[in-house]
Amino acid sequence: QLQLVESGGGLVQSGESLRLSCAASGILDYVAIGWFRQAPGKEREGVSWMRRSDGSTFYADSVKGRFTISRDNAKNTVYLQMNSLKPDDTAVYYCAAARITFYNFNRGYRPSSYYYWGQGTQVTVSS
């Protein structure tokens, strides 16, 4: 069983930055890590994901150029650096891990592609 714990959320002003962390523990049988967010009344949205085998990274258009996903293999931790934050980025952010390889990169943005989920961390951006 794999456990994921997010941290790093908080309240910031528009234009500021935050770095979220996703620490993995247990049986590390995953092939990709994704970051998702869900705002009140909206569906869960895929923001970014990383393929474990080669470290390839992918970003949704809404965050491209502002967010960066990275990892520290020694710490079994994946990060999401969020710069130039906007009020529209306000949401609960979740990290998730996939167990089955998907070859269509768009599947990396779908919650249904992931098996393990963290508890979420709140990010609030004030204008």
Side-chain angles (χ1 to χ4, degrees):
Q1 194 76 330
L2 174 69
Q3 291 84 41
L4 300 172
V5 178
E6 303 100 333
S7 61
L11 171 63
V12 296
Q13 293 189 335
S14 183
E16 294 185 340
S17 300
L18 278 175
R19 188 179 78 160
L20 305 183
S21 299
C22 174
S25 62
I27 300 175
L28 304 179
D29 59 340
Y30 65 93
V31 297
I33 291 284
W35 282 99
F36 292 79
R37 65 187 181 186
Q38 188 165 21
K42 295 188 176 181
E43 293 187 353
R44 193 164 294 190
E45 171 192 19
V47 172
S48 177
W49 68 276
M50 174 184 284
R51 185 180 292 128
R52 186 182 187 186
S53 60
D54 62 3
S56 296
T57 59
F58 304 88
Y59 300 92
D61 288 343
S62 58
V63 305
K64 199 171 293 182
R66 299 188 299 123
F67 290 11
T68 303
I69 189 171
S70 63
R71 65 184 177 182
D72 184 332
N73 290 331
K75 297 181 178 180
N76 293 323
T77 300
V78 174
Y79 303 97
L80 185 68
Q81 177 67 42
M82 306 186 297
N83 298 330
S84 302
L85 283 162
K86 307 173 183 179
D88 284 349
D89 296 318
T90 295
V92 177
Y93 282 71
Y94 300 89
C95 67
R99 295 196 307 182
I100 299 174
T101 301
F102 38 84
Y103 297 100
N104 181 334
F105 76 95
N106 282 319
R107 293 194 61 186
Y109 301 109
R110 300 178 188 173
S112 60
S113 297
Y114 295 81
Y115 188 82
Y116 302 105
W117 289 85
Q119 82 288 353
T121 185
Q122 176 70 46
V123 172
T124 303
V125 185
S126 64
S127 58

